[in-house]
Amino acid sequence: MNDELLELAVALARTAGAATVAMRLEAIGTTTTKSSDTDPVTEADRHAEQLITEGILAVRPTDSIVGEEGAGVEGTSGVEWYVDPIDGTANYVYGIPFYAVSIAAEVDGNIVVGVVYNPESDELFTATRGGGAYRNGVPLSVTTNVPLGKALVGTGFGYKPEDRAVDGAVVAELLPRIRDLRRLGSAALDLCAVAMGRFDAYFETGLHVWDYAAGWLIVEEAGGHCQTVDGGQPSPQMMIAAHAPLAKDLANALKLAQETASVESRVGTD
Ligand code: IPD
């Protein structure tokens, strides 16, 4: 069954990706904002999500779907899809060729298929539970034995100004303790960057499940580990991804940085 779900996810990611590129090149559609004044959404996001939703339901009419742009289908089959039609919408709007279609399938509570497709670079990242992770068919592995001080770490920031103030304070604490930091603008592709060793690690707070569901499986199938600061399963509160020992060290450093950042912000408001 995983292979069938994978085949469907790949086909829909390619279709949706081609549609988003075409709409960008033809400058079709308008940009509005969602959760804050800086959180963009375009007609291409909505159109791509519709293509994916209709494509799933055409073949699997009893599946459930949760999509970033509002798709909410409650099915009965036990299969649930998480869809982000354009992860990295700000990059998309500015013409930065680093965004992706992200599609994951969960069966009875376990993510079993993850597909992340960057239609600009034609990079297709895929994973099935127990079947490994691949970039355009080539197997992926995370970096290993990298100490925190030598780690290239990716991150991202949500759209709410009050959260960004905390994110900034945490980054200020962490930066002297790592090799360097990157903010590329697509959580799904950031996770794939960990899976293929372009990053040693990644972390972000405030993601949504559609941002990270596919990338999470791709990291794990590439030999990596995803967790929160306390070692639990990744959640919208925190996603840390790396080879397990580095994920643990990064989690400890982030915990300390969060504590210091919140003490300093309390002192600052006295
Ligand atoms: C965003 C991107 C970004 C991350 C934000 C996400 P969107 O997704 O993944 O890198 O920092 O937290 O919301 O809104 O472009 O689908």
Side-chain angles (χ1 to χ4, degrees):
M1 156 125 127
N2 290 359
D3 288 344
E4 278 165 44
L5 298 176
L6 176 68
E7 202 181 319
L8 179 58
V10 166
L12 293 174
R14 286 193 185 280
T15 302
T20 57
V21 171
M23 287 180 82
R24 188 177 68 72
L25 293 176
E26 291 159 27
I28 299 173
T30 50
T31 304
T32 50
T33 54
K34 299 191 287 191
S35 67
S36 83
D37 286 350
T38 55
D39 181 4
V41 59
T42 68
E43 272 177 37
D45 290 83
R46 296 191 196 96
H47 178 62
E49 183 161 302
Q50 193 183 346
L51 284 176
I52 296 166
T53 306
E54 288 175 359
I56 292 170
L57 294 178
V59 198
R60 306 186 51 87
T62 58
D63 286 0
S64 304
I65 307 174
V66 177
E68 178 177 22
E69 307 313 333
V73 178
E74 277 189 40
T76 51
S77 66
V79 176
E80 178 146 26
W81 297 84
Y82 297 107
V83 175
D84 190 343
I86 303 181
D87 183 65
T89 304
N91 284 348
Y92 178 77
V93 168
Y94 280 81
I96 298 168
F98 195 80
Y99 59 88
V101 183
S102 175
I103 303 177
E106 188 179 88
V107 176
D108 298 330
N110 287 315
I111 297 165
V112 293
V113 165
V115 170
V116 174
Y117 178 56
N118 178 344
E120 298 279 349
S121 61
D122 197 25
E123 284 181 299
L124 178 73
F125 298 92
T126 56
T128 50
R129 170 102 25 218
Y134 302 86
R135 172 182 165 271
N136 294 343
V138 178
L140 302 179
S141 355
V142 299
T143 59
T144 55
N145 303 320
V146 178
L148 185 62
K150 289 280 167 57
L152 185 64
V153 180
T155 191
F157 309 113
Y159 294 102
K160 296 199 181 117
E162 59 277 18
D163 294 344
R164 285 181 172 188
V166 177
D167 291 342
V170 168
V171 161
E173 289 297 318
L174 185 70
L175 204 43
R177 296 181 170 77
I178 58 178
R179 179 190 292 275
D180 208 345
L181 197 70
R182 296 287 182 271
R183 196 286 194 248
L184 301 184
S186 163
L189 287 172
D190 290 339
L191 286 163
C192 294
V194 173
M196 70 180 301
R198 277 180 188 161
F199 288 165
D200 298 304
Y202 164 79
F203 74 95
E204 183 162 347
T205 56
L207 290 173
H208 294 94
V209 63
W210 49 75
D211 295 314
Y212 65 75
W216 177 7
L217 182 65
I218 292 167
V219 167
E220 292 202 338
E221 287 297 323
H225 176 67
C226 296
Q227 63 169 88
T228 62
V229 277
D230 294 317
Q233 284 221 329
S235 71
Q237 276 69 46
M238 179 57 92
M239 161 59 88
I240 297 169
H243 191 229
L246 178 59
K248 196 170 164 212
D249 289 350
L250 179 58
N252 290 336
L254 284 169
K255 197 167 187 176
L256 207 65
Q258 285 175 337
E259 282 162 11
T260 313
S262 78
V263 168
E264 279 172 3
S265 67
R266 273 205 299 278
V267 169
T269 54
D270 279 346

